[in-house]
Amino acid sequence: MLRTLASVLLLLTGVITLTAADSDDFVELFNGENLQGWTQRNGTATYRVEGDEIVGKTAEGSPNSFLCTDKQYGDFEMTFDVKLDPGLNSGVQIRSQTAGDDPMGRVNGPQVEISYDKMAGYVYGEAAGGWMTADADREPTDLFKQGQWNSYRVVANGDRIQTWINGTQVSDLSHPERFASHPKGFIGLQVHGIKQGTGPFEVRWRNLKLRELP
């Protein structure tokens, strides 16, 4: 009954309110021990496991790097915590692909922004047309906290992508064009390329959880 009610609420509002029963639907994307189930695509940044965290570290001269789930996802709700070194830009790819479906091809698709430039939480089309959130809708925020863990929530349902940072909604985006080209794909943890002579920088993720939506 609770799950039926949650489905009705999703259809009416596009937002799911979690209950104790609903929380059981989430699966851990990271097993807490190793990177089994993940594959690095693009770039030479390094990824390692440190306790209950996945840590990405920049490599000078590398293009953007992505640690990607082997499994693909379409409609889902995802939560994660992230902490970012000052000076680094990052993001989490959703419903993403590689060019020509080649494992070495360029990663492309929607990206939920992780950054200190007050644009955190908005949606960018990585190698897929640039900003998906319209210029007029990207209001600067101070929700992303430097040197602290930040909690993200992402709901992707049809052509609608909603994001929250630390409990506050940032974006409510409908993008039929990108949904048509990227209805499903992998989740990818980005380590952005850096300028020569800078870094190294690190980004850390933990509590990566996802549940697929009916």
Side-chain angles (χ1 to χ4, degrees), residues 35 38 48 51 93 122 153 171 183:
L35 297 179
W38 297 78
R48 70 182 189 274
Q93 297 292 134
Y122 293 111
R153 178 180 176 223
S171 184

Side-chain angles (χ1 to χ4, degrees), residues 24-75:
D24 293 339
D25 296 338
F26 279 86
V27 297
E28 301 275 359
L29 294 178
F30 167 49
N31 64 20
E33 298 178 358
N34 54 49
L35 297 179
Q36 182 177 353
W38 297 78
T39 298
Q40 183 168 346
R41 302 176 185 273
N42 304 167
T44 58
T46 60
Y47 294 87
R48 70 182 189 274
V49 175
E50 194 171 287
D52 62 350
E53 304 168 12
I54 296 176
V55 184
K57 186 175 181 178
T58 58
E60 191 169 334
S62 171
N64 295 348
S65 304
F66 304 87
L67 183 68
C68 305
T69 59
D70 295 336
K71 183 175 178 179
Q72 297 195 356
Y73 301 94
D75 291 345

Side-chain angles (χ1 to χ4, degrees), residues 106-128:
R106 178 70 163 92
V107 168
N108 60 89
Q111 179 190 116
V112 179
E113 187 75 5
I114 297 171
S115 66
Y116 293 122
D117 65 359
K118 300 182 184 296
M119 292 293 109
Y122 293 111
V123 185
Y124 182 79
E126 176 77 16

Side-chain angles (χ1 to χ4, degrees), residues 66-208:
F66 304 87
L67 183 68
C68 305
T69 59
D70 295 336
K71 183 175 178 179
Q72 297 195 356
Y73 301 94
D75 291 345
F76 61 85
E77 177 175 11
M78 178 173 62
T79 59
F80 61 89
D81 300 330
V82 62
K83 184 161 62 173
L84 184 68
D85 281 353
L88 182 61
N89 175 277
S90 182
V92 168
Q93 297 292 134
I94 62 172
R95 293 175 169 169
S96 290
Q97 311 166 357
T98 52
D101 201 29
D102 179 348
M104 301 303 294
R106 178 70 163 92
V107 168
N108 60 89
Q111 179 190 116
V112 179
E113 187 75 5
I114 297 171
S115 66
Y116 293 122
D117 65 359
K118 300 182 184 296
M119 292 293 109
Y122 293 111
V123 185
Y124 182 79
E126 176 77 16
W131 281 109
M132 293 170 57
T133 304
D135 292 350
D137 295 333
R138 295 199 313 275
E139 294 288 339
T141 79
D142 294 312
L143 294 173
F144 193 92
K145 304 302 181 185
Q146 288 201 45
Q148 300 179 31
W149 285 104
N150 294 271
S151 296
Y152 274 64
R153 178 180 176 223
V154 180
V155 177
N157 187 39
D159 68 3
R160 190 179 186 185
I161 300 173
Q162 297 169 283
T163 66
W164 290 256
I165 298 178
N166 298 323
T168 299
Q169 187 164 16
V170 177
S171 184
D172 188 346
L173 169 70
S174 292
H175 204 296
E177 178 185 1
R178 194 57 58 237
F179 179 60
S181 63
H182 293 71
K184 66 182 298 185
F186 51 71
I187 307 296
L189 310 182
Q190 184 198 57
V191 174
H192 203 281
I194 58 173
K195 295 179 180 178
Q196 294 285 341
T198 62
F201 304 112
E202 292 185 339
V203 54
R204 295 170 178 265
W205 290 272
R206 68 182 185 187
N207 298 325
L208 290 140

